[in-house]
Amino acid sequence: MNDSGIESVDGKLAVFDYFTYLNRCMDKVASMTFFKVLKRSQLQVFPLIVVGAVLLCALNFPFGNILGEIPDSYKGLLADVVNGTYGVAALAMLCSMSYNYGVMHNKKGSGEYISPNLFVVISLSCFFILHGEVNFLTFSEIASLGNGIAQAFFVSSVASFLLHIFIRIGMRIPVSDAGYDLYSREILSLIPACVGVIVFFALLKKLVMVLGFGNLYGFKDYVVCRILSLNDSEFLNGLFYTLSSQCLWFFGVHGPNSLSFFNNTVLSSNMDANIALIQAGGIPTHVLTKEFIDCFAMAGGSGLTLSLLIAIFMKGRDSGVRKISFLALLVCIFNVNEPLLFGIPLILNPVYALPFIFIPILAYCIAYGATLTGFVPVITHVVHWTTPPFLNAYLATGAWSGVLLQAFIVMVGAAAYMPFVIIFDMVVRKQYEQGMNEVLAVVRSGSEFSGYKCMGLSGFEGFIARSLAHDLRDAIRNEEQLYMVYQPQVDVDAGRILGAEALLRWHHPSYGHISPEVIVALAEDMNCVDQLTYFILRESCAQLGVWHGRFGDEFFVSVNFTPSLFTDEKLESKVASIIRDASVPAHCLEIEITESVAMTSSDLVLATLHNLRRQGIRISIDDFGMGHTSLRYLRELPIDKVKIDRSLTFGSLNDVNRHIVTSILDLCRNINMKVVVEGVEDNIQLERLRLMGGSCFQGYYFSRPVPGEECMQFIEKWKKRDRVQGNSFQAKEVLCV
């Protein structure tokens, strides 16, 4: 390879290493408690933001003179809805963030459960303490998304953090003798911690007043004014304005609203001066106007979000983000970008910090230079702020060159956003995997939350579970995304394959493969596990119908039946109907029941099992050896087979497991009952189990669970080997798929 080739490869590796390092850094930041809480809270208030943004566009539609004015009665109604959604979004965010901080406290706190609602109550109190007097006129200042979001972030974070710390250091009242009402005892004991947080904010309010401000908003405006010190350079003024606006937006503060003094003085006076010069026959001289900023530095809304949308549509792979982006596009074309800011989100998102702040600055510099060189004329036309991109550039400049410049800026912005879109996809995927692992751990632990196995979880894990649950119900109803795989059961002594176990799989269009354990838990939470089982039975019997003519009457498919299915009075007739529709013999179907079903021994369960057995259906007990099924149940129930649980055979067999497995094999041999040993994954394990008396096995050593066509190919290969070598079996001759 020549030198240039080596340099090219090294360059690619360097770029890859840089983005890998950046991704790790972003992943660490995104995993911090604050950003986890923020992400969850923004998702929870997102519906309010979307509804409010859409109606805000309707009330400020730029083509009202063309489409007709909205009647005043409807305007009032739309305004009320905006006030009830967008207008209270800051308070909703405060409550949501405080609640999620409480959830995180219980995960990583003092080891005892504290009601998250307590965090909400204290944060609300501190919020109003800082603001001072509240009336109908000032309520919009503190509650609306545009004005109050920064204070909501600040108060919820500081108040929740302090409450968390005070609880951990033991600021509480001893209440061991406070009575039997445990909830009251908990709240009573935490009064010192709550008072400590309130006192802190009262002192903070006093400090603000000592500095000469009535509330935190006045102090905020003063700080912003000091930071944005104006000078004689119009270019620098606009540059500082764009930078300040973007920084404020990144922290959740409506930049243009917070910098309204600049809009009302510098930007407005510049536009008035340009218009006056045009009317006097002169040449306009002021490049910096509000329309200039809106057209070229903030196309689609603050942060040049139109560029971000294009980058997401071109490079984004996360389907959820793409759906949010399509939804945001509906209002982004009218320069309303809150759904995108809070939906992805962009606010306080460490991945998008650099592009969100600096791409508009780059756009501002490009547009300013293009105007000074005469590529586009100085803006002299006032354009309504909701006028769509490209149209606003033409109307503001009165020239097609303005449209070309805006299109160029949007494309440059999209190119700059693309690497960060890729990184964000990786970060979101990592967060989902962590949340999914927590859901799976909860399912395996057998714990319940609010009566649910996983849907009752709080925070991001609960959001994942509930989202998957609703998607699962749709998948079952439409019979999409769900499919079956089959794992053969092998009789190594006879050298033949007896049948296959049917196993459910779900490939979610967004999240990929979902664990079967989670599928079952979600189905139980949604009360649709019976529908799911009947779907499995129909699919398995249909596959059995394909195999029946090729593998003979003794080849079977086993299907797991959940305990709740035996409460269905029509179970027997439904099973018979499915078998009849598939045109397969009843004895080719094997039903696997759990030990809990066997232990129930109710009259209904016993009658159902006997009736199914009289139809010719085989019945086996799955995961045998992990429960308490006794010999009496094996005698009384119509059981054909037991399957030894893989947890007893997986990996190296210790003395206890070896004794249990040997006892089960001896017991079943004495009562002439078939046994299948699950979880066989290597030759050493297989040989040990054969020496213990096992002959029928199932596991990855022979074949992983595969779709029906692959399973059929595996069986055909096995039969071909059997015809060539006879029935003798050698472990090294196993055909693995």
Side-chain angles (χ1 to χ4, degrees):
M1 183 178 292
N2 56 36
D3 292 341
S4 62
I6 294 175
E7 290 175 359
S8 175
V9 172
D10 290 345
K12 291 180 180 179
L13 288 175
V15 172
F16 177 78
D17 290 341
Y18 168 75
F19 280 112
T20 301
Y21 172 75
L22 183 60
N23 180 42
R24 284 199 300 266
C25 294
M26 294 297 185
D27 186 40
K28 288 181 180 178
V29 175
S31 64
M32 295 171 61
T33 298
F34 174 76
F35 289 105
K36 281 186 175 181
V37 167
L38 182 67
K39 173 71 173 177
R40 298 172 184 181
S41 303
Q42 288 172 330
L43 285 171
Q44 290 165 354
V45 301
F46 185 61
L48 298 183
I49 296 170
V50 170
V51 173
V54 171
L55 296 185
L56 195 63
C57 280
L59 288 172
N60 295 276
F61 196 67
F63 309 117
N65 58 339
I66 298 176
L67 301 179
E69 290 289 337
I70 300 174
D72 290 340
S73 60
Y74 287 100
K75 278 187 177 180
L77 178 61
L78 294 180
D80 288 341
V81 177
V82 170
N83 292 334
T85 54
Y86 193 91
V88 297
L91 277 183
M93 178 68 77
L94 175 133
C95 296
S96 181
M97 288 188 67
S98 303
Y99 183 88
N100 284 307
Y101 272 118
V103 172
M104 297 301 292
H105 165 85
N106 288 327
K107 284 188 175 182
K108 302 179 180 180
S110 58
E112 60 178 318
Y113 177 84
I114 304 297
S115 173
N117 293 321
L118 183 62
F119 286 77
V120 178
V121 171
I122 298 302
S123 295
L124 277 172
S125 174
C126 296
F127 187 81
F128 287 103
I129 288 173
L130 273 186
H131 187 271
E133 182 182 357
V134 178
N135 53 48
F136 288 109
L137 296 177
T138 61
F139 184 78
S140 61
E141 290 186 15
I142 64 173
S144 69
L145 187 68
N147 296 321
I149 196 68
Q151 185 164 315
F153 284 156
F154 172 76
V155 173
S156 61
S157 301
V158 175
S160 299
F161 174 75
L162 290 176
L163 185 59
H164 166 75
I165 294 299
F166 291 163
I167 292 174
R168 289 197 65 179
I169 63 177
M171 286 182 60
R172 59 177 63 238
I173 298 174
V175 291
S176 58
D177 58 347
Y180 295 102
D181 189 342
L182 300 182
Y183 187 76
S184 299
R185 290 176 59 182
E186 174 191 312
I187 300 301
L188 179 63
S189 70
L190 296 176
I191 286 179
C194 298
V195 171
V197 177
I198 293 173
V199 168
F200 173 87
F201 276 88
L203 293 175
L204 181 60
K205 174 64 180 294
K206 181 62 177 178
L207 175 63
V208 170
M209 295 175 66
V210 169
L211 293 174
F213 303 99
N215 55 43
L216 195 63
Y217 285 97
F219 178 72
K220 178 205 68 176
D221 291 340
Y222 172 79
V223 171
V224 170
C225 291
R226 297 293 296 178
I227 293 175
L228 191 64
S229 56
L230 306 181
N231 53 65
D232 295 333
S233 171
E234 186 174 277
F235 171 75
L236 290 179
N237 284 344
L239 190 67
F240 286 136
Y241 172 83
T242 305
L243 174 62
S244 301
S245 179
Q246 290 305 116
C247 290
L248 289 170
W249 257 125
F250 181 74
F251 288 97
V253 184
H254 195 295
N257 282 5
S258 299
L259 303 175
S260 57
F261 72 96
F262 188 83
N263 294 332
N264 298 332
T265 54
V266 177
L267 298 183
S268 295
S269 62
N270 285 354
M271 176 58 79
D272 292 340
N274 284 344
I275 294 174
L277 287 170
I278 287 292
Q279 292 174 346
I283 299 175
T285 58
H286 294 288
V287 175
L288 181 61
T289 61
K290 182 178 185 301
E291 282 69 17
F292 177 84
I293 297 292
D294 290 344
C295 289
F296 300 123
M298 299 182 181
S302 184
L304 212 67
T305 46
L306 186 60
S307 296
L308 175 58
L309 286 173
I310 294 172
I312 289 173
F313 294 146
M314 293 182 66
K315 290 294 184 180
R317 294 293 178 265
D318 186 276
S319 60
V321 171
R322 290 176 67 87
K323 289 178 181 178
I324 291 174
S325 300
F326 276 115
L327 184 63
L329 181 62
L330 298 175
V331 292
C332 189
I333 58 177
F334 298 105
N335 302 306
V336 176
N337 61 350
E338 280 85 351
L340 196 66
L341 296 178
F342 289 87
I344 290 182
L346 294 177
I347 290 175
L348 289 173
N349 187 329
V351 177
Y352 283 123
L354 291 177
F356 181 75
I357 292 174
F358 290 106
I359 287 177
I361 294 176
L362 174 63
Y364 169 82
C365 294
I366 293 173
Y368 204 94
T371 306
L372 290 180
T373 58
F375 179 78
V376 293
V378 174
I379 292 177
T380 57
H381 302 282
V382 176
V383 180
H384 196 277
W385 67 274
T386 58
T387 304
F390 306 119
L391 178 60
N392 66 357
Y394 179 78
L395 294 177
T397 61
W400 287 105
S401 58
V403 179
L404 291 176
L405 175 61
Q406 190 182 63
F408 174 74
I409 288 174
V410 168
M411 288 300 103
V412 170
Y417 265 119
M418 284 180 187
F420 297 92
V421 169
I422 295 172
I423 293 173
F424 182 69
D425 278 351
M426 291 188 289
V427 171
V428 170
R429 181 67 185 179
K430 183 72 173 181
Q431 289 175 338
Y432 163 76
E433 290 174 353
Q434 292 175 346
M436 195 66 213
N437 288 336
E438 291 193 36
V439 173
L440 182 58
V442 168
V443 170
R444 288 176 173 171
S445 70
S447 303
E448 290 192 0
F449 298 85
S450 302
Y452 294 99
K453 290 193 173 181
C454 52
M455 283 180 59
L457 290 170
S458 58
F460 188 60
E461 299 79 28
F463 179 81
I464 290 177
R466 289 185 290 274
S467 175
L468 286 175
H470 292 293
D471 291 344
L472 177 61
R473 171 169 284 178
D474 291 338
I476 296 172
R477 183 185 299 115
N478 301 323
E479 297 192 355
E480 297 175 347
Q481 305 169 17
L482 301 171
Y483 64 97
M484 304 305 302
V485 292
Y486 304 88
Q487 189 171 39
Q489 295 180 6
V490 181
D491 186 337
V492 296
D493 288 346
R496 64 190 183 91
I497 297 177
L498 304 175
E501 179 181 2
L503 300 167
L504 178 69
R505 295 293 184 266
W506 181 18
H507 190 274
H508 192 280
S510 300
Y511 306 134
H513 175 72
I514 307 299
S515 168
E517 296 168 276
V518 174
I519 298 174
V520 174
L522 291 172
E524 291 179 349
D525 284 350
M526 295 289 285
N527 294 320
C528 59
V529 67
D530 293 353
Q531 302 172 38
L532 184 62
T533 304
Y534 285 126
F535 166 80
I536 295 171
L537 184 61
R538 286 194 301 272
E539 292 293 306
S540 302
C541 287
Q543 183 63 65
L544 182 60
V546 175
W547 290 339
H548 178 61
R550 306 187 66 169
F551 303 143
D553 286 345
E554 293 303 315
F555 188 87
F556 65 89
V557 169
S558 63
V559 177
N560 289 275
F561 271 30
T562 57
S564 63
L565 202 64
F566 288 91
T567 61
D568 185 356
E569 296 179 354
K570 297 182 179 180
L571 172 62
E572 301 160 30
S573 61
K574 290 179 179 178
V575 172
S577 176
I578 292 173
I579 293 174
R580 184 170 56 252
D581 292 343
S583 301
V584 295
H587 69 267
C588 292
L589 173 65
E590 181 179 285
I591 291 174
E592 295 188 14
I593 63 174
T594 62
E595 286 194 75
S596 62
V597 174
M599 289 291 292
T600 301
S601 295
S602 67
D603 293 339
L604 177 60
V605 171
L606 286 173
T608 301
L609 288 173
H610 280 288
N611 290 336
L612 291 172
R613 189 65 185 84
R614 276 192 287 269
Q615 292 182 29
I617 298 171
R618 310 181 193 191
I619 299 175
S620 65
I621 296 182
D622 193 19
D623 297 338
F624 189 81
M626 296 306 295
H628 307 282
T629 307
S630 67
L631 178 61
R632 180 171 67 86
Y633 293 115
L634 294 181
R635 287 291 192 183
E636 291 181 355
L637 296 175
I639 304 299
D640 297 281
K641 181 193 299 182
V642 299
K643 299 182 71 175
I644 298 180
D645 184 74
R646 68 189 306 273
S647 62
L648 295 173
T649 62
F650 183 74
S652 59
L653 288 168
N654 57 40
D655 291 338
V656 175
N657 285 358
R658 184 182 297 109
H659 177 73
I660 294 173
V661 172
T662 302
S663 300
I664 295 173
L665 290 170
D666 290 342
L667 168 65
C668 293
R669 184 166 48 249
N670 291 333
I671 60 176
N672 296 318
M673 184 168 291
K674 299 176 182 177
V675 183
V676 173
V677 183
E678 297 182 297
V680 179
E681 299 204 355
D682 57 55
N683 184 56
I684 296 176
Q685 184 185 13
L686 175 66
E687 291 303 324
R688 287 177 178 173
L689 290 168
R690 292 187 72 187
L691 291 174
M692 295 165 61
S695 62
C696 295
F697 302 97
Q698 177 181 337
Y700 274 49
Y701 179 58
F702 302 97
S703 171
R704 70 180 189 276
V706 293
E709 184 64 29
E710 290 185 44
C711 187
M712 184 167 65
Q713 293 174 4
F714 172 81
I715 298 170
E716 292 285 3
K717 290 180 181 179
W718 186 284
K719 291 178 66 176
K720 182 178 179 180
R721 181 203 64 83
D722 188 44
R723 286 194 296 269
V724 173
Q725 300 181 4
N727 289 337
S728 61
F729 176 84
Q730 297 293 328
K732 64 181 180 180
E733 296 167 353
V734 173
L735 300 176
C736 296
V737 175

